[in-house]
Structures are given as structure tokens and as C-alpha cells.
């Protein structure tokens, strides 16, 4: 097999917060893939870095009374610690606030400018008159200009999915101060990504992304790509644009370049040729693992920017969904918003590595960490099946044969069948079909345990503890265990290392798994993995819940995050009394084509003054929690006198009331069963 030269990256965690299970899932997905390549003899390099620039870093440091450099240095150490705790084997973990990244950002920018792909335009931006700074998208909230949804951020609507500029937002407010932003003009620098439409269409359809992602990207291309604003005004924490004092590179320009910078740092340390990996024409491969929320940056701006600057584009971008816990979005109040460090205080990292592997595939569907299933699956598969094979056989070999395996196997067919699965398992892992690979490995473990149940080495030992038959049977089990441990080594590197010590062998390599250990002395067996204790899971959740509910929970958050926790501007009872709350019956509920979160509801509000049926059409962002058929004939509470709003999908003539954090946790306020449509709620 020809040795491949592969460079892998995963998305950069932002340097003003902790590593949580969402970050961990992505890193583990990439790490499994990288470890497979290395086991198969390929040169595979995995790099990452902290995303260390932007207004949020500046404000976060300010709120803590430290410099931005002190903040990102501390967070970088914590991030390294957490990733190492989950056995993620980065070849280099760097920071975007580095000399290497500054060098590459400046050279790439100058190349874009020299190629005519930088435009300068006067733009009117929203400016916080109290904080005296231009407001990034995340620091502005208001009403979506397309669907009328309130409380949306300044770049996109979570209800209808529309994107827009902050200036288009209706009734904007600064998250930082609560002040109403004012418009202020400033010259900005734009990367003319619109010039790369045909190049991007071709790249997207080259296999660079999966079919579903490619279809969505095509839709966005059809709508037209706007040129990308790559500059920000002082005050800002980042790199100044060469020759333009007071102008800084937008964080999303230098973040993906951080992949290159981290690799450049590795090249300087290891003597690798940077250009041979990043310039077109070579046989090197480049892959990015990212979440579905940052597809546009990686599939539009990044490849276009690379192409303009004379660098190679990625071979593929592997996109995954989000992590949910027990079927819902991670929740701080329930303790399911779990930081990596909290998990590691209570549980073995390989429990999570394996469980995620059983559920990971190549698609963008969300992955649910069901904690009851987590306990059962790990205990059943890893302890009850895999480790059980070794533990059932090792004692007989150690006590009765001085640790020496037999010169021949009792069941060569079982061993060969286990080995024949290597190609299929490797292909599953290569295609990121980790769940299929894990199911096949456990099916093979079931066969091995069934073999031991049938051969009953404990019964053989009763008759003759030193019989050749007993030695061959147990040696067969040990050899099958070795192969299975090899298959799982990309997922469970620490368990594989313990198995290697027990087996007294060199590190397992994929191509050597089909060579049995015969006439070989193994070491005394030590427990390879302990069972998951439900009490440890409960303790983890409780600690996580306390961490988010105790006083001072926002101390490490950015000023923006703290501000969003503040209570909205108070209103008088006279204003509240104007809200007309009525009982309504859902006549019909249906999906809204093109909207991921909306349902269209037709409501019966009783009769009007002339005795005719009074109906309203309302859009509600509750699709994640309610199937349409569950809502028909349900009595709900509606704001009946809300001014109709023209939305992208039609006119919404009211608002139904609901509560909850989102996702599946949305609870409609339901009227008493004896109420009638049109009844007013006092």
C-alpha cells in the first residue's frame, strides 16, 4: 500500500471559554480517523489551535481585569489539558495569536490584494455610543427583518434561517450596554468572494462535501454570495492590516489561516517542507473536521481565499451535527451542559470515546448522548464482551502454563474469520462510519464469547489443568482478543496500550493483526477496564448543574454573555394590561417548507361580532418539539391583539405562548380543557 501524506484539522475552539462535550466530540471524531491512518502506516498529521482574536476576547479580558494575552495563554493551557485528558493526539496545538499566523495572514492578504480581490468600501455600521466601539454581529439583538422573530442576533435568524447585515435588524439593541446603536460610517476591506462562484461550484461538486451539504451550498450560491467584510475597526484584539493603522483582520480571516500556522510551527520544529503540503500539484491530502454551524466559512470563503493566494484547496470537509444530552440541547440548569474537565473528574475518557464512536456516522445529524444507554452500552460492550474474552482466558494461561500461549490454535477458523473483517472495518472507519465499525467489532466479540461458552475452558480445567486442549482454547481466545483490541485501538488507545503490555507485544499495527501469537509468553493479567458506575454519572451531572447555578457563574463569561442574562427593560401594569390573551383551538398545523423550526398553525378563536368564524394564521418556532399531528384540536393561549407581521413565508397574525430553553424542551401554555375558543384569559 502506497503511503499517503495527510494533514487533518478540526475547528478551532474559541479562547474565551472552556472545552465542552461538543468540542470533545469533534476532536474525538478526527482523532479516531487520524489514529487509523497512522496504524495503517500513513503519514498523517493532526493540528489545531485556539481561535484567540476578536472583540469577545478583548471584552472578556477586560471584565476579568487582565490583558487579552494573559487570558488566551491561560485558556490555551486549559484547552491543551482537556484535549490530552480525552487522549486526543494533536501533533501540534497552537494559537492564532502567533508569529506564524501573523506572517501567513499578512502574506495571504497581500496576495489577495495583489490579485485584485480586495475592495474598499464605505460602510455604515452600528456603533455603541456608551462603549465607544463598533458592534460585532453577536453584540446586537433585535427583530429579524425577514420573519419578524424577536431577540435575534445581528447576523442570522434562528427562526427562519435568514442571514442579513446588522444594519437590517429591526429595533436593535447593544448587548453590551443596552444602548440603542447609532449608525457610523467607516471604510472597510472586502474579499471579493463573489468572483469565485464558478470555482466554488466545481469544488463543492468534486466530493469535497457530502451530498446534503453540497445541495445546501448550491442553494446559497444561487441566492448569490456577498463579498466578505474582512476588516474591523479599533479597538479590537487581533492583527493590524499591513499599512492601515487602526484596521484589523476580522477574526474569521485569521482563524482558518490558523490551521496553516499551526502546521507551519510543526514544520519549523520537525523540519517538514511547508510548501509541499500547501501548494497545488502535490500528492498531499488535506481534510477539515467541522460542525454544521460553520459550513459557509469553510466552504465559501476559505477555499476561495486559498485559491486566490496560490494555495491548495481542501480535499474534503467532514461536517458533523451537534451533541445533545438525553434527547435535548445541552442545558446548564439540568447539568447536561458538561465541560470536559467536569467529565474527566468522574469518568474514564474512553467510555465517551467508545460511546461516541458507536453513534458517529458521516452525516450531519445531531448525536445524542443518552446517559442511561451510555452506561449500559459501555458496560455491555467493553467490559461484558471485549475485556471478558481476555479475562476468561488469561487466568488459565498464567496459572497453568506460566503465561505461555499454545504453539497452535484450537479454532483457526474463528481466528481467521475475525482477521478477515479487517478490510471492512478499516473501510468503515475510513468513511467515518464509526457506528458500523463498532457494531461489527462487537459481533465478532460475541462470536468469541460464544466459542468460549461452547468450549467451556473451566470445565476442561477441572479434568486437567495442564492439558494441551485447555492451552489451545485459551490461546485462541487471547488471539481473537488481540485482533479486536487492534481494531479498537483508534477509538481506545489507552485500553490498547494496556492490552499491549498484557500481551507483551510491540504496539499493534493494522497490517500485523492477522499474525497469531503462538508459543509466546504473556504478562500477568490486570483489569483492562472497569464498569461505569451510574453514581459517577449522577455526580458529574450534579457538579455540572452546581457550576452553572451557583453565584458567580458568569464570572468567566464575556461581557456579552453576562449582559444577555440581564432582565429586559421593565414595563408598567398598564402596558401589560393591553396584551389580549385568548384561548384558541388548533384547527390545522403543518410544516413550513424552507424553514427548519417553524410550523404554520390555523387557529380557531371563536366567533367575531357578526357571528362568523374567527380564524388566525400564526407561525410558531416549535417544530423541534411538536409534530403537526400532535397539535390538532389542542387548546393553546394566543396573543390575539399582536400586530400582524409579514414574514418570509407569509403573514403571522398573532403569537402562541410557550416556554422552555429550546430544542425538544418547548412547552406550550395550554388552556384548561373546559375553556372555549375565544375565551379571554384575565
Amino acid at each position: 500500500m502506497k503511503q499517503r501524506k495527510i494533514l487533518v484539522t478540526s475547528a478551532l475552539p474559541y479562547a474565551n471559554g472552556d472545552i465542552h462535550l461538543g468540542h470533545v466530540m469533534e476532536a474525538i471524531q478526527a482523532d479516531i480517523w487520524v489514529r487509523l491512518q497512522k496504524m495503517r502506516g500513513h503519514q498523517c498529521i493532526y493540528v489545531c489551535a485556539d481561535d484567540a482574536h476578536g472583540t469577545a476576547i478583548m471584552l472578556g479580558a477586560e471584565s476579568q481585569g487582565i490583558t487579552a494575552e494573559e487570558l488566551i495563554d491561560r485558556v490555551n493551557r486549559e484547552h491543551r489539558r482537556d484535549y490530552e485528558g480525552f487522549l486526543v493526539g494533536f501533533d501540534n496545538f497552537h494559537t492564532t495569536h502567533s508569529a506564524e499566523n501573523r506572517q501567513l495572514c499578512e502574506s495571504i492578504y497581500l496576495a489577495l490584494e495583489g490579485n485584485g480581490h480586495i475592495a474598499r468600501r464605505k460602510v455604515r455600521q452600528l456603533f455603541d455610543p456608551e462603549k465607544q466601539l463598533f458592534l460585532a454581529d453577536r453584540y446586537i439583538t433585535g427583530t429579524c427583518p425577514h420573519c419578524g422573530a424577536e431577540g435575534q442576533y445581528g447576523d442570522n435568524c434562528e427562526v427562519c434561517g435568514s442571514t442579513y447585515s446588522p444594519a437590517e435588524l429591526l429595533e436593535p439593541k447593544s448587548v453590551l450596554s443596552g444602548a440603542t446603536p447609532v449608525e457610523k460610517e467607516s471604510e472597510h476591506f472586502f474579499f471579493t468572494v463573489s468572483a469565485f462562484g464558478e470555482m466554488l461550484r466545481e469544488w463543492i461538486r468534486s466530493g469535497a462535501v457530502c451530498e446534503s451539504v453540497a445541495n445546501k451550498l448550491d442553494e446559497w450560491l444561487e441566492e448569490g454570495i456577498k463579498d466578505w467584510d474582512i476588516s474591523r475597526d479599533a479597538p479590537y484584539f487581533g492583527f493590524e492590516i499591513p499599512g492601515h493603522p487602526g484596521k484589523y483582520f476580522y477574526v474569521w480571516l485569521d482563524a482558518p489561516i490558523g490551521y496553516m500556522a499551526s502546521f507551519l510551527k510543526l514544520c519549523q520544529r520537525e523540519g517538514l517542507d511547508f510548501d509541499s503540503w500547501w501548494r497545488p500539484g502535490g500528492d498531499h491530502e488535506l481534510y477539515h473536521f467541522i460542525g454544521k454551524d460553520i459550513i459557509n466559512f469553510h466552504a465559501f470563503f476559505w477555499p476561495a481565499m486559498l485559491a486566490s493566494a496560490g494555495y491548495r484547496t481542501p480535499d474534503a470537509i467532514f461536517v458533523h451535527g451537534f451533541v445533545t444530552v438525553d434527547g435535548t440541547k445541552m442545558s446548564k440548569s439540568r447539568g447536561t451542559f458538561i465541560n470536559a474537565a467536569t467529565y474527566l473528574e468522574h469518568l474514564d475518557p474512553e467510555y465517551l470515546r467508545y460511546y461516541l464512536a458507536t453513534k458517529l456516522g458521516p452525516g450531519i445529524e445531531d448525536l445524542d448522548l443518552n446517559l442511561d444507554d451510555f452506561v449500559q452500552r459501555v458496560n455491555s460492550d467493553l467490559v461484558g464482551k471485549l475485556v471478558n474474552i481476555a479475562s476468561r482466558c488469561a487466568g488459565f494461561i498464567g496459572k497453568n502454563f506460566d503465561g505461555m500461549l499454545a504453539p497452535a490454535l484450537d479454532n483457526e477458523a474463528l481466528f481467521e474469520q475475525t482477521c478477515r473483517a479487517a478490510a471492512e472495518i478499516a473501510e468503515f472507519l475510513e468513511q467515518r462510519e464509526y457506528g458500523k465499525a463498532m457494531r461489527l467489532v462487537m459481533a465478532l466479540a460475541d462470536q468469541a464469547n460464544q466459542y468460549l461458552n461452547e468450549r467451556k475452558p473451566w470445565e476442561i480445567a477441572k479434568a486437567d489443568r495442564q492439558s494441551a486442549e485447555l492451552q489451545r482454547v485459551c490461546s485462541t481466545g487471547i488471539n481473537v482478543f488481540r485482533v479486536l483490541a487492534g481494531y479498537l485501538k483508534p477509538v481506545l488507545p489507552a485500553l490498547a496500550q494496556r492490552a499491549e503490555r498484557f500481551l507483551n507485544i510491540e504496539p499493534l499495527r493494522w497490517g500485523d493483526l492477522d499474525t497469531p501469537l503462538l508459543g509466546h509468553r504473556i504478562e500477568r493479567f490486570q483489569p483492562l477496564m472497569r464498569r461505569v458506575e451510574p453514581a459517577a454519572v449522577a455526580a458529574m451531572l450534579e457538579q455540572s448543574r452546581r457550576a452553572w447555578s451557583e453565584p458567580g457563574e458568569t464570572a468567566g463569561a464575556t461581557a456579552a454573555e453576562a449582559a444577555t442574562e440581564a432582565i429586559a427593560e421593565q414595563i408598567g401594569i398598564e402596558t401589560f394590561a393591553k396584551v389580549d390573551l385568548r384561548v384558541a383551538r388548533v384547527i390545522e398545523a403543518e410544516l413550513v417548507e424552507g424553514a427548519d423550526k417553524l410550523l404554520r398553525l390555523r387557529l380557531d378563536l371563536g366567533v367575531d361580532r357578526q357571528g362568523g368564524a374567527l380564524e388566525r394564521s400564526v407561525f410558531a418556532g416549535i417544530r423541534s418539539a411538536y409534530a403537526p399531528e400532535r397539535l390538532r384540536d389542542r387548546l393553546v393561549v394566543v396573543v390575539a391583539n399582536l400586530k400582524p407581521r409579514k414574514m418570509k413565508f407569509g403573514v403571522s397574525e398573532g403569537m402562541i405562548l410557550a416556554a422552555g430553553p429550546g430544542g425538544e424542551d418547548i412547552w406550550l401554555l395550554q388552556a384548561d380543557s373546559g375553556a372555549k375558543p375565544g375565551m379571554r384569559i384575565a
Side-chain angles (χ1 to χ4, degrees), residues 12 47-49 94-96 101 105 253-263 302:
L12 312 187
V47 300
C48 194
H94 206 29
T95 172
T96 59
N101 205 35
C105 287
L253 180 133
D254 67 58
I257 296 174
Y259 299 142
M260 303 172 74
S262 185
F263 181 69
W302 178 231

Side-chain angles (χ1 to χ4, degrees), residues 90-124:
F90 294 119
D91 292 285
N92 192 61
F93 190 87
H94 206 29
T95 172
T96 59
H97 192 65
S98 66
E100 296 81 16
N101 205 35
R102 182 189 294 272
Q103 169 193 333
L104 286 165
C105 287
E106 292 180 354
S107 67
I108 287 174
Y109 168 79
L110 292 173
L112 302 183
E113 186 178 48
N115 291 331
H117 294 139
I118 297 294
R120 299 187 199 175
R121 300 171 192 156
K122 295 285 187 180
V123 298
R124 296 192 66 80

Side-chain angles (χ1 to χ4, degrees), residues 522-534:
I522 61 175
E523 300 294 339
R524 182 172 176 271
F525 182 78
Q526 300 288 341
L528 297 174
M529 179 165 280
R530 300 187 185 279
R531 296 175 61 83
V532 185
E533 296 298 335

Side-chain angles (χ1 to χ4, degrees), residues 57-58 60-62 64-73 237:
I57 300 293
M58 180 180 70
E62 178 185 305
Q64 296 178 47
I66 58 177
T67 67
E69 287 83 1
E70 288 173 326
L71 172 62
I72 63 176
D73 286 348
F237 181 62

Side-chain angles (χ1 to χ4, degrees), residues 285-319:
E285 303 170 48
L286 172 62
Y287 302 98
H288 300 306
F289 285 78
I290 65 164
K292 60 185 178 182
D293 55 328
I294 53 174
I295 292 173
N296 58 339
F297 291 105
H298 286 78
F300 289 152
F301 310 127
W302 178 231
M305 196 164 67
L306 288 169
S308 176
Y311 290 104
R312 50 124 349 119
T313 53
D315 290 279
I317 295 175
F318 299 143
V319 184

